[in-house]
Amino acid sequence: MAEKKKILVTGGLGFIGSHTVVELQHEGFEVVIIDNLSNSSLEVLEGITRITGKTPAFEKMDLRDKAAVSAFFANHPDVSGVIHFAASKAVGESVDQPLLYYENNINTLIYILQELRDKGESCFIFSSSCTVYGQADELPITESAPVKKAESPYGNTKQIGEEIIADTCNVHHGLKAISLRYFNPIGAHPTVEIGELPLGVPQNLVPFITQTGAGVRKELSVFGGDYPTPDGTGIRDYIHVVDLAKAHVVALQRLLHGDNKENYEVFNVGTGTGSSVLEVIKSFESVSGEKLHYKIVDRRPGDITAAYADTTKANRELGWEAKSTLDEAMRSAWAWEKKIRS
Ligand code: WQD
């Protein structure tokens, strides 16, 4: 039995982080989670344990504490890789509080990379976002599409983060890294033991839809019905969070096995299919059997018209593709909503 490699997952109690911890444990990795619980809860650790039967090691820590980050790596010299989710991610909040975002999303990244640089050999997976493309000129979007000026400090932290990693890998060749540019993660684990925690008013479409379906919200506001799309509403690439989690495991294994072609690589992680807001609403109504209350209002400032991934590179290089349909992802999101309201 190959010795178990230990993987650090920062933000491992968050939405995508927790689903990735489950997949890492399924693959036989030993997981240690760092999370500051600012946007998650310890109940998620119990949910992970109920799914896999194994409780990951957990350390409550704020990664802005450079000394604490150094002490962690001194105490865990056997960490083979890091998957870095921990970051603030609310687009609107980032506009109001840019320095909070630059401190929390950039300083923490630098502190971790400094430790990995000093370790010599290590593997690093970065949680990036299709938001780096802005409104791409061509659809579907490939990894060679130009990175455009970010619409928000949040999006800028992803762009800056990628550049910091690329520059670091360029000189410290023991560090191998992959940035995964997520499209729109939705859904919940099929066991309904973990999902997206509803903290505050949802900014994202699918949790707002399921909360409206559950009667928590009165009605959904559809932000814009006059986009240049077939039905006038915005188009996105909605990917099941478990498919996204699995992409992290295959990306990590690519680096651990030395299969990477460059020291720093970037992959789009989406389904390759675009769905409009009205199509997402129709999916909810079909899987729930409920009519959704919604009204079409003005566009949301900063929104793009359409984005969906060209997944050729991830399919070819990672041997990965998204398996779940929009309806399957929506069904899991609705099951989760009903569970947390029961
Ligand atoms: C999707 C579509 C909205 C809410 C954001 C971040 C991105 C990533 C994913 C972190 C759009 C419409 C939404 C609502 C609506 N986050 N909508 N009514 O904006 O594509 O991406 O979340 O990495 O970085 O930018 O996702 O779910 O907010 O919006 O009509 O109440 O749903 O206009 O067309 P978005 P979203």
Side-chain angles (χ1 to χ4, degrees):
M1 172 84 172
E3 116 277 357
K4 276 188 169 192
K5 290 191 182 300
K6 184 192 278 189
I7 306 300
L8 165 61
V9 180
T10 72
L13 294 183
F15 175 39
I16 305 164
S18 55
H19 288 80
T20 302
V21 168
V22 165
E23 299 307 323
L24 284 167
Q25 290 187 319
H26 282 334
E27 283 298 310
F29 287 102
E30 181 191 349
V31 176
V32 53
I33 294 172
I34 288 177
D35 202 300
N36 67 359
L37 299 178
S38 65
N39 193 26
S40 57
S41 97
L42 276 176
E43 287 164 29
V44 177
L45 203 56
E46 295 158 16
I48 292 169
T49 305
R50 284 195 296 271
I51 296 169
T52 65
K54 289 172 280 196
T55 302
F58 168 71
E59 295 198 19
K60 184 176 186 296
M61 184 196 303
D62 191 319
L63 293 168
R64 289 173 296 190
D65 179 345
K66 181 177 168 63
V69 173
S70 295
F72 174 87
F73 281 92
N75 296 334
H76 295 271
D78 54 344
V79 165
S80 302
V82 177
I83 305 184
H84 184 46
F85 292 102
S88 301
K89 62 159 195 166
V91 172
E93 182 187 53
S94 79
V95 174
D96 300 334
Q97 302 188 63
L99 287 177
L100 174 91
Y101 272 68
Y102 288 115
E103 183 191 33
N104 193 40
N105 293 9
I106 302 297
N107 288 8
T108 58
L109 171 64
I110 291 171
Y111 298 157
I112 291 169
L113 290 176
Q114 285 170 329
E115 297 301 325
L116 298 184
R117 172 201 60 196
D118 297 345
K119 268 175 73 72
E121 289 298 310
S122 62
C123 302
F124 185 72
I125 305 292
F126 181 60
S127 167
S128 189
S129 169
C130 63
T131 204
V132 304
Y133 298 115
Q135 178 55 68
D137 301 324
E138 287 178 38
L139 296 172
I141 304 172
T142 67
E143 287 82 354
S144 53
V147 168
K148 290 195 176 175
K149 176 153 177 35
E151 300 269 345
S152 68
Y154 161 75
N156 206 22
T157 66
K158 292 303 180 185
Q159 293 181 7
I160 296 167
E162 288 194 6
E163 287 170 16
I164 290 172
I165 298 162
D167 289 345
T168 305
C169 291
N170 196 31
V171 289
H172 301 291
H173 299 137
L175 175 60
K176 299 179 285 186
I178 288 176
S179 285
L180 297 179
R181 290 174 177 168
Y182 309 161
F183 282 69
N184 289 58
I186 63 168
H189 198 267
T191 60
V192 211
E193 295 294 359
I194 54 174
E196 191 166 8
L197 286 186
L199 302 174
V201 178
Q203 299 305 303
N204 295 135
L205 177 65
V206 170
F208 205 106
I209 285 178
T210 56
Q211 287 190 18
T212 303
V216 176
R217 306 289 160 198
K218 196 165 72 66
E219 68 178 3
L220 168 76
S221 296
V222 174
F223 297 142
D226 60 349
Y227 283 101
T229 61
D231 66 18
T233 63
I235 291 174
R236 298 291 186 278
D237 182 335
Y238 297 94
I239 178 170
H240 194 300
V241 64
V242 172
D243 281 329
L244 178 58
K246 289 178 175 172
H248 289 76
V249 179
V250 291
L252 176 70
Q253 288 169 325
R254 175 181 176 85
L255 297 182
L256 290 171
H257 301 156
D259 295 337
N260 52 304
K261 291 181 175 155
E262 314 282 338
N263 243 33
Y264 175 61
E265 296 175 309
V266 174
F267 293 95
N268 285 342
V269 187
T271 66
T273 301
S275 301
S276 74
V277 176
L278 292 182
E279 286 170 331
V280 176
I281 291 171
K282 201 175 299 149
S283 171
F284 170 77
E285 293 181 334
S286 143
V287 305
S288 67
E290 305 212 2
K291 192 95 186 75
L292 189 81
H293 301 294
Y294 69 89
K295 66 178 186 300
I296 295 184
V297 300
D298 291 341
R299 297 182 181 189
R300 177 172 64 179
D303 272 358
I304 58 167
T305 299
Y308 50 94
D310 178 315
T311 58
T312 312
K313 187 181 175 188
N315 301 154
R316 182 187 67 240
E317 295 296 328
L318 298 180
W320 169 91
E321 63 176 342
K323 301 277 193 234
S324 295
T325 63
L326 175 62
D327 282 358
E328 285 162 349
M330 183 62 78
R331 192 169 289 112
S332 69
W334 181 229
W336 171 251
E337 184 68 53
K338 288 188 288 184
K339 162 134 187 229
I340 59 177
R341 305 294 168 196
S342 60

